[in-house]
Amino acid sequence: MTPPTDTSAATPATTGPGDHRVVPTVGPVVAPDLHLMTYNVRRRMPQVLGTRHALADRWSTRLPALRLLLEAERPSVLGTQEALPDQSAQLTDALGSDYASVGTGRDRDRGGERVELHVDTTRLRIVRHEALWLSATPTVPGSRSYGNMIPRTAVHAELDDLATGARLHVVVTHFDHLSARSRRHSAVQLRTFTDALDGPVVVMGDFNAGVGSPAHRELTRGRLVDSREVADERLDPGWGSYSNYGPPRTGGRRLDWLLVDAGAHVDRAGVGGVRPGGVAPSDHDPVHAVVRWSIGRAEPRPAEQRAAAQRPAEHRPEES
């Protein structure tokens, strides 16, 4: 692996109001590479005009910019956090018919804020998926055990790479924002879960903790590594992933991580600072990685095998 590239001159890709041209941080990739992306899209909140960033926080303002961002990036796998059910439907519409989505709301009735995976079905097929609550009873919806006041979840999907024949596992999650104890216990739970999986593994999400925190150390003390730290090329000059609608800030905290197993080759990774039309689509910025694994078939599958593999996987209505 070559030494990481220092992109200290990197600046956010910003266009003016009404300008629909978006320069992606990564954009579409070709096999065997996969474009992985995690994004806290910020739940729609009641409008309080007297609060700081109230206008920037409006979902009606942010949604058009988010659409433009997703149209430009076209990730192979997108993990999202915080979307309410109506926002989830709008995200699905923005991505288009080539994407399939699985996820769950965090509450007992599976409502509320959702953690989701959106998968490009022209490249990947969802073999199976499941929702986990970050608690001592992970199959009980709405369960809490670690000191967090609200339920926290993760969604796991096993994916079939239609181009290479490989199988990989992707987990998306959203850790608690208040309890460090909850974050540490959640990290132990997810590390134990992913250690038992066969094949390539990706863990992505908003962890509400910085690099070097107990949660980060726990998750990366086994098979997982932080994609930005091992990438051949870093896509940012050290930006944090929480910008609060301002420009990306060098030296800011990376609360959002994209972790991969140590067998992955990470070509590029980092925080994206795209601002379509000068608008930040969320108070967080997305984290990207371009990754490949040297396993599976080197050649694409014959057309008839690809067609068979693209048939819909068994659906679990209670988890989507």
Side-chain angles (χ1 to χ4, degrees):
M1 179 179 293
T2 58
T5 302
D6 180 6
T7 57
S8 57
T11 56
T14 304
T15 56
D19 191 338
H20 295 280
R21 295 170 300 170
V22 175
V23 178
T25 300
V26 173
V29 299
V30 297
D33 288 347
L34 289 166
H35 175 188
L36 309 174
M37 174 177 167
T38 183
Y39 202 8
N40 181 325
V41 298
R42 172 66 171 166
R43 67 174 291 163
R44 174 180 39 74
M45 298 292 286
Q47 192 66 46
V48 182
L49 292 177
T51 60
R52 188 183 180 195
H53 304 306
L55 296 179
D57 191 51
R58 284 181 175 172
W59 179 241
S60 60
T61 300
R62 297 190 288 116
L63 178 59
L66 181 60
R67 286 182 177 274
L68 291 172
L69 176 63
L70 295 177
E71 288 171 3
E73 294 292 359
R74 306 302 293 173
S76 311
V77 181
L78 167 66
T80 59
Q81 307 87 42
E82 275 201 30
L84 296 173
D86 62 309
Q87 292 176 293
S88 171
Q90 291 168 316
L91 279 169
T92 299
D93 179 68
L95 287 165
S97 59
D98 283 342
Y99 283 78
S101 303
V102 295
T104 188
R106 67 188 183 188
D107 298 334
R108 182 179 300 178
D109 64 355
R110 300 179 185 267
E113 290 184 14
R114 296 179 63 79
V115 170
E116 298 181 319
L117 288 169
H118 302 266
V119 177
D120 181 357
T121 60
T122 67
R123 174 66 188 277
L124 299 158
R125 183 178 73 95
I126 301 171
V127 178
R128 64 183 182 92
H129 58 91
E130 59 191 322
L132 309 169
W133 273 259
L134 301 178
S135 75
T137 53
T139 61
V140 177
S143 57
R144 298 178 287 117
S145 304
Y146 305 146
N148 41 300
M149 299 297 292
I150 56 178
R152 293 296 180 177
T153 58
V155 171
H156 161 238
E158 184 175 0
L159 306 177
D160 183 6
D161 189 329
L162 302 176
T164 68
R167 285 280 178 91
L168 65 148
H169 298 270
V170 181
V171 177
V172 61
T173 192
H174 190 186
F175 280 10
D176 194 67
H177 63 306
L178 295 176
S179 173
R181 176 174 178 267
S182 172
R183 293 191 291 270
R184 182 173 58 83
H185 280 284
S186 296
V188 171
Q189 180 179 338
L190 283 190
R191 182 181 56 77
T192 302
F193 177 80
T194 55
D195 280 352
L197 298 174
D198 292 326
V201 173
V202 176
V203 177
M204 60 172 72
D206 175 2
F207 296 88
N208 274 307
V211 174
S213 65
H216 189 271
R217 292 198 303 269
E218 182 63 44
L219 275 169
T220 57
R221 75 180 183 89
R223 67 186 299 186
L224 298 173
V225 296
D226 190 315
S227 61
R228 188 185 182 278
E229 294 179 0
V230 300
D232 288 351
E233 176 187 351
R234 291 175 181 167
L235 297 170
D236 68 81
W239 290 336
S241 63
Y242 178 72
S243 61
N244 201 20
Y245 301 111
R249 185 169 64 88
T250 301
R253 295 173 73 205
R254 280 201 292 127
L255 305 181
D256 307 82
W257 319 326
L258 214 161
L259 312 177
V260 296
D261 67 83
H265 181 99
V266 184
D267 181 66
R268 293 165 279 164
V271 176
V274 177
R275 300 287 188 269
V279 174
S282 174
D283 58 348
H284 286 242
D285 284 314
V287 174
H288 304 264
V290 177
V291 179
R292 62 182 177 272
W293 284 268
S294 58
I295 63 172
R297 301 179 207 178
E299 298 298 325
R301 295 180 174 186
E304 63 272 13
Q305 288 182 320
R306 288 171 61 92
Q310 286 176 303
R311 291 172 189 145
E314 180 182 356
H315 183 56
R316 302 179 184 180
E318 72 276 8
E319 294 176 5
S320 60

